[in-house]
Amino acid sequence: MPVLFEHLPELWQGLIVTVQLTAASFAGAAVLGVLVCALRVSPVGVLRAIGTAYVETFQNLPLLVLLVLAFFGLPEIGLQAPPLATAIIVIAVYEAAYIAEALRSGVNSVSKGQGEAARAIGLTFGQSLRHVILPQALRTVVQPLGNIFIATAMNTALAAAVGVVDLTAAAHRVNLVEAQPIPIFVGAGVAYALIASVAGFVTGRLERRLVILR
């Protein structure tokens, strides 16, 4: 595929942006997802309702709609950031709902006796969640979290629709010049597949190691 080699610098730069966008978005989603999960399992009804509303809202809105609203709506109220930063924030907020639900399933898999024992020795809800429940819950949801990471990588392609020059946008620009969509987008697809394969391999190894250590 000579066209890919001719435009390798542009495609490589797009791939770097995709990796940066994926890593930063997932990291932000992980932090926010833990907080939302804590709300979802909180003994306080109001906090549980807030966590539930967050998850239900963002799991039922298309990511592209959120990206468009952020890119074109926020500047109208005086909030503006670089395209990449805006995409990272929006994708992180969106994916956090899925991470929260994955973590909640892990929390539910932990024996209730663990929480009761933590309270018996004087730990607060936050302390028991941080030191007792979440560490065990995380071990049971490594693969689901890996799947969410892969989904995040695939979802970053939507950022191209709002001006972020990621791999998808770079491939589109090259195609506008060369008019050879099949080799160009097959090449981009292979790159996305490699990202997914590496993520799947790492999470698979990590899951097996954690299972052995338990």
Side-chain angles (χ1 to χ4, degrees), residues 2 24 30 48 55 65 67 72-73 91 93 113 120 131 135 142-144 149 151-152 180 193 198 204-205:
R48 286 200 308 274
V55 170
V65 170
L67 286 167
F72 299 106
I91 296 173
V93 169
H131 298 293
V142 171
Q143 197 60 55
F149 180 88
T152 302
Q180 297 185 47
V198 171
R205 290 290 297 271

Short mmCIF file of all heavy atoms in Angstrom, two decimals, residues 2 24 30 48 55 65 67 72-73 91 93 113 120 131 135 142-144 149 151-152 180 193 198 204-205:
data_model
loop_
_atom_site.label_atom_id
_atom_site.label_comp_id
_atom_site.label_asym_id
_atom_site.label_seq_id
_atom_site.Cartn_x
_atom_site.Cartn_y
_atom_site.Cartn_z
N PRO A 2 1.38 1.63 -1.17
CA PRO A 2 2.31 2.78 -1.24
C PRO A 2 1.74 4.05 -0.65
O PRO A 2 2.48 4.86 -0.08
CB PRO A 2 2.55 2.92 -2.74
CG PRO A 2 2.21 1.59 -3.33
CD PRO A 2 1.12 1.05 -2.48
N ALA A 24 -5.73 9.47 28.19
CA ALA A 24 -6.17 10.56 29.07
C ALA A 24 -7.66 10.44 29.40
O ALA A 24 -8.07 10.65 30.55
CB ALA A 24 -5.88 11.91 28.42
N ALA A 30 -11.76 6.78 34.82
CA ALA A 30 -11.53 5.88 35.95
C ALA A 30 -11.70 6.62 37.27
O ALA A 30 -12.36 6.12 38.20
CB ALA A 30 -10.14 5.25 35.86
N ARG A 48 -27.22 8.03 46.39
CA ARG A 48 -27.50 6.94 45.45
C ARG A 48 -28.32 7.43 44.26
O ARG A 48 -28.08 7.04 43.12
CB ARG A 48 -28.26 5.80 46.15
CG ARG A 48 -27.41 4.95 47.07
CD ARG A 48 -28.07 3.59 47.31
NE ARG A 48 -29.44 3.72 47.75
CZ ARG A 48 -29.82 3.90 49.02
NH1 ARG A 48 -28.89 3.98 49.98
NH2 ARG A 48 -31.09 4.00 49.35
N VAL A 55 -25.49 7.88 35.87
CA VAL A 55 -25.30 6.71 35.02
C VAL A 55 -26.39 6.61 33.97
O VAL A 55 -26.12 6.39 32.77
CB VAL A 55 -25.25 5.42 35.88
CG1 VAL A 55 -25.30 4.18 35.00
CG2 VAL A 55 -24.00 5.40 36.74
N VAL A 65 -23.43 13.37 20.28
CA VAL A 65 -24.27 14.50 20.69
C VAL A 65 -23.57 15.31 21.78
O VAL A 65 -23.54 16.54 21.75
CB VAL A 65 -25.64 14.00 21.19
CG1 VAL A 65 -26.43 15.14 21.84
CG2 VAL A 65 -26.45 13.43 20.03
N LEU A 67 -20.33 15.48 22.35
CA LEU A 67 -19.18 16.17 21.76
C LEU A 67 -19.61 17.43 21.02
O LEU A 67 -18.99 18.50 21.17
CB LEU A 67 -18.45 15.22 20.80
CG LEU A 67 -17.61 14.12 21.45
CD1 LEU A 67 -17.20 13.08 20.42
CD2 LEU A 67 -16.36 14.71 22.13
N PHE A 72 -19.68 23.19 20.45
CA PHE A 72 -20.38 24.35 19.89
C PHE A 72 -21.27 25.06 20.90
O PHE A 72 -21.63 26.22 20.69
CB PHE A 72 -21.22 23.91 18.69
CG PHE A 72 -20.38 23.32 17.58
CD1 PHE A 72 -20.39 21.95 17.34
CD2 PHE A 72 -19.57 24.12 16.80
CE1 PHE A 72 -19.61 21.40 16.33
CE2 PHE A 72 -18.79 23.58 15.78
CZ PHE A 72 -18.80 22.21 15.55
N GLY A 73 -21.61 24.37 22.00
CA GLY A 73 -22.48 24.98 22.99
C GLY A 73 -21.73 25.71 24.09
O GLY A 73 -22.11 26.82 24.48
N ILE A 91 -15.31 12.68 26.66
CA ILE A 91 -15.23 11.22 26.60
C ILE A 91 -15.06 10.64 28.00
O ILE A 91 -15.64 9.60 28.33
CB ILE A 91 -14.09 10.78 25.66
CG1 ILE A 91 -14.39 11.22 24.23
CG2 ILE A 91 -13.91 9.26 25.71
CD1 ILE A 91 -13.25 10.99 23.25
N VAL A 93 -16.15 11.93 30.86
CA VAL A 93 -17.45 12.02 31.55
C VAL A 93 -18.40 10.94 31.05
O VAL A 93 -19.15 10.33 31.83
CB VAL A 93 -18.05 13.42 31.33
CG1 VAL A 93 -19.50 13.47 31.78
CG2 VAL A 93 -17.23 14.47 32.08
N GLY A 113 -20.18 -9.72 54.35
CA GLY A 113 -19.45 -9.86 55.60
C GLY A 113 -18.20 -9.01 55.65
O GLY A 113 -17.75 -8.61 56.74
N ALA A 120 -17.28 -3.16 61.90
CA ALA A 120 -17.11 -3.66 63.26
C ALA A 120 -15.81 -3.19 63.89
O ALA A 120 -15.72 -3.03 65.12
CB ALA A 120 -17.16 -5.19 63.27
N HIS A 131 -10.42 0.83 51.52
CA HIS A 131 -9.39 -0.11 51.98
C HIS A 131 -9.82 -1.57 51.91
O HIS A 131 -8.95 -2.46 51.90
CB HIS A 131 -9.00 0.23 53.43
CG HIS A 131 -8.39 1.57 53.59
ND1 HIS A 131 -7.16 1.91 53.06
CD2 HIS A 131 -8.85 2.69 54.22
CE1 HIS A 131 -6.88 3.17 53.37
NE2 HIS A 131 -7.88 3.67 54.07
N PRO A 135 -10.59 -2.63 46.65
CA PRO A 135 -9.46 -3.47 46.21
C PRO A 135 -9.89 -4.87 45.78
O PRO A 135 -9.33 -5.42 44.82
CB PRO A 135 -8.56 -3.52 47.45
CG PRO A 135 -8.86 -2.24 48.17
CD PRO A 135 -10.33 -2.04 47.96
N VAL A 142 -11.42 -6.71 36.09
CA VAL A 142 -10.30 -6.32 35.23
C VAL A 142 -10.68 -6.43 33.76
O VAL A 142 -10.45 -5.52 32.96
CB VAL A 142 -9.06 -7.18 35.53
CG1 VAL A 142 -7.97 -6.91 34.50
CG2 VAL A 142 -8.53 -6.88 36.93
N GLN A 143 -11.28 -7.57 33.39
CA GLN A 143 -11.66 -7.75 31.98
C GLN A 143 -12.74 -6.78 31.52
O GLN A 143 -12.62 -6.19 30.44
CB GLN A 143 -12.10 -9.19 31.73
CG GLN A 143 -12.10 -9.58 30.26
CD GLN A 143 -10.73 -9.46 29.62
OE1 GLN A 143 -9.77 -10.04 30.08
NE2 GLN A 143 -10.63 -8.69 28.55
N PRO A 144 -13.81 -6.55 32.31
CA PRO A 144 -14.77 -5.52 31.91
C PRO A 144 -14.14 -4.14 31.76
O PRO A 144 -14.49 -3.39 30.84
CB PRO A 144 -15.80 -5.54 33.05
CG PRO A 144 -15.75 -6.92 33.57
CD PRO A 144 -14.31 -7.33 33.46
N PHE A 149 -11.90 0.12 28.14
CA PHE A 149 -10.74 0.81 27.56
C PHE A 149 -10.76 0.68 26.04
O PHE A 149 -10.52 1.66 25.31
CB PHE A 149 -9.44 0.23 28.12
CG PHE A 149 -8.20 0.89 27.57
CD1 PHE A 149 -7.68 2.03 28.16
CD2 PHE A 149 -7.57 0.39 26.43
CE1 PHE A 149 -6.55 2.65 27.65
CE2 PHE A 149 -6.44 1.00 25.91
CZ PHE A 149 -5.93 2.13 26.51
N ALA A 151 -13.40 0.11 24.17
CA ALA A 151 -14.52 0.92 23.67
C ALA A 151 -14.15 2.40 23.65
O ALA A 151 -14.53 3.13 22.73
CB ALA A 151 -15.75 0.69 24.55
N THR A 152 -13.40 2.83 24.64
CA THR A 152 -12.94 4.22 24.68
C THR A 152 -12.06 4.53 23.48
O THR A 152 -12.20 5.58 22.83
CB THR A 152 -12.17 4.51 25.98
OG1 THR A 152 -13.01 4.23 27.11
CG2 THR A 152 -11.73 5.97 26.04
N GLN A 180 -8.18 7.25 -2.29
CA GLN A 180 -8.01 5.80 -2.21
C GLN A 180 -8.52 5.32 -0.84
O GLN A 180 -7.73 4.96 0.04
CB GLN A 180 -6.55 5.40 -2.40
CG GLN A 180 -5.99 5.76 -3.76
CD GLN A 180 -4.57 5.23 -3.95
OE1 GLN A 180 -4.29 4.06 -3.65
NE2 GLN A 180 -3.68 6.08 -4.43
N ALA A 193 -7.29 -1.94 15.50
CA ALA A 193 -7.31 -3.34 15.91
C ALA A 193 -6.09 -3.68 16.75
O ALA A 193 -6.18 -4.45 17.72
CB ALA A 193 -7.39 -4.25 14.69
N VAL A 198 -3.64 -5.15 21.90
CA VAL A 198 -2.69 -4.92 22.99
C VAL A 198 -3.43 -4.75 24.32
O VAL A 198 -3.04 -5.33 25.34
CB VAL A 198 -1.82 -3.68 22.70
CG1 VAL A 198 -0.99 -3.30 23.93
CG2 VAL A 198 -0.91 -3.94 21.51
N GLY A 204 -5.91 -9.35 29.89
CA GLY A 204 -5.99 -10.79 30.09
C GLY A 204 -4.89 -11.29 31.01
O GLY A 204 -5.14 -12.09 31.92
N ARG A 205 -3.66 -10.83 30.78
CA ARG A 205 -2.55 -11.21 31.64
C ARG A 205 -2.76 -10.72 33.07
O ARG A 205 -2.50 -11.44 34.05
CB ARG A 205 -1.24 -10.66 31.07
CG ARG A 205 -0.76 -11.31 29.79
CD ARG A 205 -0.30 -12.73 30.03
NE ARG A 205 0.85 -12.78 30.93
CZ ARG A 205 2.12 -12.71 30.53
NH1 ARG A 205 2.40 -12.57 29.23
NH2 ARG A 205 3.10 -12.76 31.41
#
